[in-house]
Amino acid sequence: MRRKYVLLLALLCCYLGTIAQDTVPQYSVQLIQITDIHEDGVLVVRLESGTAKIKAIQARIANSDTKKAYWKNQLAELKQDLDYKNKAIMAAFAANYRFSEVLYLYDIDSKQLKGREGNGIFLDENLAYDQSIQLGDRPFIVATEAESVSGAEGIYLLDEQLDRLEKPLPHFVKLNSVFFLFNQFTSTELAIQRMYKQAAVGLNSKLFRYMMKERRRSAKKAY
């Protein structure tokens, strides 16, 4: 009888071990990825293409008889604003982000990025597609501007499947809208530059702090 209990206990332990392997929390998988980014990985910054807005205005131009000039002017302003914003983001990360290499792409090319299918989806400093810029098989995380359920705007980090990272991982840097509004009194362009500089500095700092924390934790386990 005792032998049967020992056998049942052994089988139960094996079963629980199998469950534990199959139910590893998502952040544990992401943890391995994050620690690789600094060594040979890439931060892919996803930029707004404005495709939907541009198509909507183009449709108005095509269907309007009396306001073509107005909508053409609106289209030109939209493209100019998007270009300025995207170049400001690129400049902010180029000057203030040091955790890893950075690549840039438009949001419309996210599907190709996820499947590692596309060549020529990355952008040069002039926001033009550049075939020579390649991701290869390097690990990556994605930085994208978005709004939370509570309405907070910020830069979110996504994994390679474009799912948001979660605590305890670095996953979000808030865009300081109050800071932005205050600086608009001086210059809208300057306000945009400062807002994204602050975001790049914050993201860089969070990733480095996280990496050092994990290294200290690993060192303690080694003793």
Side-chain angles (χ1 to χ4, degrees):
M1 189 71 175
R2 184 177 178 183
R3 189 174 297 174
K4 287 184 179 179
Y5 281 122
V6 172
L7 180 60
L8 285 172
L9 183 60
L11 290 172
L12 179 60
C13 289
C14 290
Y15 175 70
L16 291 175
T18 303
I19 292 176
Q21 290 178 355
D22 292 340
T23 57
V24 176
Q26 183 182 12
Y27 72 79
S28 296
V29 178
Q30 294 171 338
L31 174 67
I32 300 169
Q33 185 186 58
I34 281 284
T35 54
D36 290 339
I37 298 300
H38 180 64
E39 298 298 329
D40 61 350
V42 176
L43 175 72
V44 178
V45 177
R46 192 162 64 177
L47 303 175
E48 183 183 0
S49 64
T51 300
K53 295 176 184 177
I54 289 171
K55 286 183 177 179
I57 295 178
Q58 287 174 335
R60 287 181 178 272
I61 293 172
N63 298 322
S64 176
D65 294 326
T66 59
K67 291 188 175 181
K68 283 187 183 293
Y70 169 79
W71 288 114
K72 284 181 179 180
N73 184 59
Q74 290 294 104
L75 181 60
E77 286 186 6
L78 173 61
K79 289 181 176 180
Q80 183 178 356
D81 289 346
L82 284 170
D83 278 1
Y84 186 85
K85 174 187 171 182
N86 287 332
K87 287 180 178 179
I89 292 172
M90 294 175 79
F93 276 88
N96 301 285
Y97 179 86
R98 295 289 180 270
F99 188 76
S100 67
E101 183 182 347
V102 186
L103 298 180
Y104 304 90
L105 88 166
Y106 281 128
D107 49 16
I108 54 174
D109 297 313
S110 297
K111 186 176 180 180
Q112 292 93 316
L113 173 67
K114 182 178 178 180
R116 292 182 181 265
E117 298 170 351
N119 289 322
I121 62 173
F122 296 105
L123 306 169
D124 64 17
E125 64 276 8
N126 297 311
L127 298 173
Y129 287 111
D130 189 334
Q131 291 278 348
S132 69
I133 303 175
Q134 299 289 328
L135 175 65
D137 59 356
R138 290 177 292 173
F140 68 89
I141 52 176
V142 179
T144 187
E145 186 175 345
E147 190 174 290
S148 69
V149 177
S150 63
E153 290 188 35
I155 305 294
Y156 285 85
L157 290 180
L158 316 179
D159 63 16
E160 293 188 6
Q161 296 305 308
L162 305 186
D163 295 319
R164 286 187 181 179
L165 301 188
E166 299 176 0
K167 292 181 179 179
L169 302 172
H171 65 289
F172 172 73
V173 176
K174 186 176 181 180
L175 289 174
N176 195 330
S177 55
V178 175
F179 182 79
F180 173 76
L181 291 172
F182 177 78
N183 279 280
Q184 271 193 309
F185 288 105
T186 305
S187 165
T188 300
E189 289 79 9
L190 185 60
I192 291 172
Q193 292 172 18
R194 288 178 173 174
M195 182 173 67
Y196 288 112
K197 175 184 177 180
Q198 186 181 48
V201 169
L203 181 58
N204 187 70
S205 178
K206 282 191 173 187
L207 287 167
F208 269 113
R209 285 202 308 267
Y210 177 80
M211 182 179 70
M212 297 308 296
K213 179 181 176 181
E214 289 306 310
R215 285 180 175 177
R216 287 194 298 269
R217 183 179 299 174
S218 296
K220 286 181 180 179
K221 288 181 179 180
Y223 282 110

